Amino acid sequence: ADGRREGTHAAAVAVPALGSSGGDAAAGSGELSEASFFLVSDPTSQRAKILDDLFSIASEKTNLDHPICAECMKQLEEQLNSEIEEAKAENDRYKGFAQLLQKHHEQGDEGAEEEIESEIQSLIEEECKLRKELETLQDERCDVQQRLDELTLESTKLSLIEEKYWHSFNAFEADLSDFCTTRDSVLQRLTHARALLARLKRTNVYNDAFHIWHDGHFGTINGFRLGRLQSQPVDWNEINAAWGQVTLLLYTLAKKLNFQFSRYRVIPMGSQSKIENIRDQTVHELFGTNEITLGRLFWYRRFDNAMMAFIECLKELGDYAEAQDRQFQLPYKMRKETIGGLQYTADWTKALKYMLTNMKYLLAWSSSRSFH
């Protein structure tokens, strides 16, 4: 019972503090008197409900959850007092403005009113002008926005074109790099081929195919001696092989120079080479033998005629070379039965050595002519 009385007393004390917060004091007093009536007359179960209603009303008025402690109540009171002071100051300012307007109205300040109306009219005109400028700027903004959209679209197209261009450029760069690599390789091979061609041009194939030299008193061609001496007899097989090489060389030189002999046709047949008279179809064997018989004596006559025909063919080719190149001249003059003033029947070995020397000169001249 004592606890209930203390709670009732606390509620009766808290209500007047709430009633002091502004224009709701009268309503708070009515609610308090009604609540006091229920606290006196109603039983305990109704008092709790009434207290709950009171706390809800207080919470709505103060934007705080009730019940609150004494310290919070103090802070709330300070806040409410501060708001009251601000409201009073604002009320005083409004009163001052109202008195000032009333004073002007009473004095009938028509000049100030006309000035105000003129200013208002000026402001209205300025507002109209600004509105027109605003409309103009909005129209310009629309045009600019439209132009911006067009430029954006064009920029997008240009970006696509640029991207395509760079793709094409990169592909072209790759192709160019491959081309440069291929070109450098081709140029390198071309340089090598030119160097090889120049070396081959400087190389005289005929000198390798028909190597003319000497071995003591003998002239040689590809190592075969041409001629015979009593002190140094040479087998006829070697002599015939030498004549076969000499005949092949004369045939090759004539074909290389596109030269046609006037009376004879050279027939290279190795160790059994021949020379044919074009006019009467007579064939002269250009090879000999070790046999000594009566038939062989006539055969040697044909062999001599074959050598004479060969020297005549060689003289024709030499004369042709000298006619083509005035600076060229054979070292040994050739006539029907002599070479360099020697009769080949008397000094056969030395005369054949002179003949090989002339052929070597002809071989060198034909090679240089082909090179140039």
Side-chain angles (χ1 to χ4, degrees), residues 9 17 33 50 130 229 316 337 360:
H9 179 69
S33 61
I50 293 170
L130 292 175
L229 295 174
E316 285 186 18
E337 295 182 356
K360 187 176 181 67

Side-chain angles (χ1 to χ4, degrees), residues 70-83:
E71 186 177 355
C72 293
M73 180 62 72
K74 185 177 180 181
Q75 293 178 0
L76 178 60
E77 184 180 1
E78 293 176 355
Q79 181 181 355
L80 292 175
N81 291 331
S82 176
E83 291 177 359

Side-chain angles (χ1 to χ4, degrees), residues 165-333:
Y165 164 77
W166 284 116
H167 281 301
S168 301
F169 177 78
N170 292 332
F172 173 76
E173 284 287 328
D175 293 340
L176 180 61
S177 178
D178 295 338
F179 169 76
C180 290
T181 302
T182 305
R183 182 202 59 185
D184 294 340
S185 177
V186 170
L187 289 177
Q188 184 67 24
R189 292 200 299 269
L190 181 61
T191 302
H192 176 71
R194 285 176 175 173
L196 182 61
L197 178 61
R199 186 161 61 96
L200 290 175
K201 284 183 176 180
R202 290 192 299 270
T203 302
N204 191 349
V205 180
Y206 296 102
N207 281 336
D208 296 333
F210 303 99
H211 180 63
I212 297 176
W213 200 239
H214 61 87
D215 183 6
H217 296 286
F218 299 97
T220 62
I221 180 168
N222 290 337
F224 298 115
R225 291 173 292 181
L226 189 61
R228 298 189 73 181
L229 295 174
Q230 292 183 355
S231 60
Q232 292 179 318
V234 180
D235 187 73
W236 274 103
N237 291 328
E238 183 178 352
I239 295 173
N240 294 336
W243 274 114
Q245 293 293 315
V246 170
T247 306
L248 180 61
L249 175 57
L250 182 63
Y251 173 82
T252 303
L253 288 175
K255 186 176 181 180
K256 182 177 183 339
L257 297 173
N258 196 20
F259 179 78
Q260 188 72 31
F261 298 109
S262 61
R263 293 183 57 188
Y264 298 99
R265 183 168 68 91
V266 179
I267 307 173
M269 297 178 62
S271 297
Q272 294 185 353
S273 298
K274 301 176 183 179
I275 294 181
E276 181 184 5
N277 192 320
I278 300 174
R279 297 174 182 176
D280 57 8
Q281 306 296 318
T282 304
V283 178
H284 305 288
E285 294 87 356
L286 198 56
F287 55 89
T289 180
N290 292 325
E291 297 179 2
I292 302 177
T293 61
L294 183 61
R296 287 295 176 186
L297 293 177
F298 295 101
W299 178 85
Y300 279 119
R301 181 63 182 170
R302 292 198 302 273
F303 178 66
D304 289 341
N305 292 333
M307 286 192 296
M308 291 174 62
F310 184 88
I311 292 173
E312 184 176 347
C313 291
L314 181 60
K315 181 179 181 304
E316 285 186 18
L317 188 61
D319 293 341
Y320 171 78
E322 290 177 353
Q324 294 294 319
D325 186 359
R326 297 296 182 182
Q327 295 181 354
F328 175 73
Q329 187 176 5
L330 292 176
Y332 301 105
K333 295 294 183 181

Side-chain angles (χ1 to χ4, degrees), residues 63-238:
N63 293 327
L64 294 173
D65 292 332
H66 289 270
I68 58 176
C69 62
E71 186 177 355
C72 293
M73 180 62 72
K74 185 177 180 181
Q75 293 178 0
L76 178 60
E77 184 180 1
E78 293 176 355
Q79 181 181 355
L80 292 175
N81 291 331
S82 176
E83 291 177 359
I84 291 170
E85 293 297 330
E86 290 179 0
K88 287 181 179 180
E90 187 175 359
N91 188 22
D92 293 338
R93 286 195 297 271
Y94 279 123
K95 287 181 179 181
F97 284 120
Q99 291 176 1
L100 182 60
L101 290 175
Q102 184 66 28
K103 182 178 179 181
H104 283 297
H105 183 69
E106 291 176 355
Q107 291 178 355
D109 193 357
E110 296 179 358
E113 185 176 354
E114 291 177 358
E115 184 179 355
I116 291 172
E117 289 179 357
S118 176
E119 185 175 357
I120 291 172
Q121 187 64 30
S122 176
L123 291 174
I124 291 173
E125 292 176 357
E126 186 176 359
E127 180 184 6
C128 293
K129 182 179 179 181
L130 292 175
R131 285 183 182 277
K132 290 180 181 179
E133 291 180 0
L134 178 61
E135 291 176 358
T136 303
L137 291 175
Q138 287 178 347
D139 293 338
E140 292 179 358
R141 182 179 178 277
C142 292
D143 295 338
V144 170
Q145 184 64 37
Q146 183 179 1
R147 180 59 179 164
L148 179 61
D149 294 339
E150 294 176 356
L151 292 176
T152 303
L153 181 60
E154 186 175 356
S155 176
T156 304
K157 292 181 181 179
L158 290 176
S159 298
L160 294 176
I161 294 173
E162 182 182 7
E163 184 178 359
K164 184 178 179 181
Y165 164 77
W166 284 116
H167 281 301
S168 301
F169 177 78
N170 292 332
F172 173 76
E173 284 287 328
D175 293 340
L176 180 61
S177 178
D178 295 338
F179 169 76
C180 290
T181 302
T182 305
R183 182 202 59 185
D184 294 340
S185 177
V186 170
L187 289 177
Q188 184 67 24
R189 292 200 299 269
L190 181 61
T191 302
H192 176 71
R194 285 176 175 173
L196 182 61
L197 178 61
R199 186 161 61 96
L200 290 175
K201 284 183 176 180
R202 290 192 299 270
T203 302
N204 191 349
V205 180
Y206 296 102
N207 281 336
D208 296 333
F210 303 99
H211 180 63
I212 297 176
W213 200 239
H214 61 87
D215 183 6
H217 296 286
F218 299 97
T220 62
I221 180 168
N222 290 337
F224 298 115
R225 291 173 292 181
L226 189 61
R228 298 189 73 181
L229 295 174
Q230 292 183 355
S231 60
Q232 292 179 318
V234 180
D235 187 73
W236 274 103
N237 291 328
E238 183 178 352

